[in-house]
Amino acid sequence: MAGGKQRPGFPARVLPGPAHGQAPARRAVAALPLAAPAGGLARDPIPARGRMVQQLAAGGIHEPAVLHAMSAVERHRFVDSALAPQAYEDTALPIGLGQTISKPSVVARMLELLLQGGVRDEDGRLGRVLDIGTGCGYQAVALAQLASEVYSIERLRDLHEKARANLRPLRLASVHLILGDGAAGFAAGAPYAGIVAAAGGEQVPDAWIEQLAIGGRIVAPLAAGGGQALVVVDKTRQGVTHKVLEAVNFVPLKSGIA
Ligand code: SAH
């Protein structure tokens, strides 16, 4: 369970590259060792991750910043070392306590929806975002490539601690890990440019809508027709709109801390 042990021998780092396609980001992503904008995906030294990103692009992910985020984050560091060889396959993997890290295609899809609908600065970067269900911390780190600040909340203490251990070597000053019940959002960080959830309930909690900035977007799984569907909620001055997208399969949004 302990993070950091018996990891494959790749250096702990996030690849350099443009944060937003066209213009290089004004400031580097938090404390990541971002160097000059690189040529993008071809520079990925780990072929499996490069292939994963190519498959994401072929599968319909178009935002360069999302593809960069997916190529920058070392997913193999967030799963048990025995599962590391599968880390760049498009599959959900167990992370302990009955929870899973979402499939890369689902993470990328959610990040793209969030980026396209969230509140962005002039560089195209999202402002402060809320990540519900930290799990192993993978998606929080991917989000940190796209947003100025990430608040990520997890209700299971062991997973919260695991995510802490996973993130420690990355020294991401922009990512804040919180132990708490994300069904209530996290008011201290509000308003959010975007909110993304990796666990689905019967409805989008009112707290999330309240804590969302005007112009912001929520991307979350929601119960629909006996299953679950991805839902996009946009908040404007005129009100809130809901859009139901494709079927998904996330763990349930539970309440309380355990
Ligand atoms: N984004 C995660 C996915 C983890 S799976 C990753 O990259 O690994 C979803 C997580 O949501 C689980 O860890 C589960 O414990 C958590 N969760 C479920 N209900 C929650 C709630 N009310 N508040 C916070 N986290 C919750």
Side-chain angles (χ1 to χ4, degrees):
M1 283 290 285
K5 282 191 192 153
Q6 296 182 331
R7 301 290 186 170
F10 303 115
R13 71 206 167 78
V14 175
L15 293 177
H20 299 287
Q22 297 93 330
R26 217 171 9 161
R27 70 198 131 48
V29 178
L32 292 179
L34 282 188
L41 313 180
R43 295 269 287 262
D44 192 334
I46 301 180
R49 193 162 62 232
R51 276 196 300 277
M52 176 192 85
V53 174
Q54 278 163 7
Q55 280 163 11
L56 293 174
I61 301 298
H62 299 305
E63 291 284 348
V66 173
L67 292 171
H68 174 257
M70 299 302 291
S71 75
V73 185
E74 298 181 313
R75 191 169 184 259
H76 68 270
R77 293 195 170 274
F78 294 82
V79 296
D80 200 83
S81 55
L83 297 172
Q86 296 168 61
Y88 299 105
E89 290 170 17
D90 194 25
T91 171
L93 294 171
I95 53 173
L97 302 174
Q99 308 302 321
T100 54
I101 180 174
S102 313
K103 311 205 268 198
S105 59
V106 171
V107 173
R109 168 81 168 139
M110 292 181 93
L111 294 183
E112 184 161 85
L113 287 167
L114 197 71
L115 188 67
Q116 288 171 344
V119 183
R120 297 161 72 166
D121 66 17
E122 68 271 23
D123 292 334
R125 192 174 178 78
L126 287 165
R128 191 181 304 149
V129 298
L130 179 62
D131 176 47
I132 314 274
T134 311
C136 64
Y138 172 74
Q139 184 168 295
V141 174
L143 271 170
Q145 313 299 306
L146 307 172
S148 63
E149 254 184 306
V150 180
Y151 284 79
S152 182
I153 186 161
E154 171 60 54
R155 64 178 287 275
L156 296 178
R157 195 177 297 273
D158 284 358
L159 280 179
H160 168 75
E161 292 301 334
K162 189 177 201 169
R164 273 205 182 292
N166 286 341
L167 265 65
R168 200 164 291 128
L170 300 175
R171 297 167 173 275
L172 286 166
S174 63
V175 181
H176 313 281
L177 299 182
I178 300 134
L179 176 66
D181 183 354
F186 183 65
Y192 295 102
I195 298 177
V196 60
E202 293 294 316
Q203 54 203 16
V204 174
D206 290 342
W208 299 0
I209 294 171
E210 280 157 26
Q211 291 169 24
L212 188 65
I214 299 283
R217 170 173 282 188
I218 298 170
V219 181
L222 209 63
Q228 236 183 15
L230 204 55
V231 169
V232 160
V233 177
D234 288 319
K235 183 172 176 180
T236 66
R237 289 195 191 284
Q238 287 71 45
V240 170
T241 62
H242 284 67
K243 213 167 18 181
V244 179
L245 305 174
E246 68 268 23
V248 284
N249 189 16
F250 283 84
V251 297
L253 183 75
K254 297 197 171 164
S255 55
I257 297 172

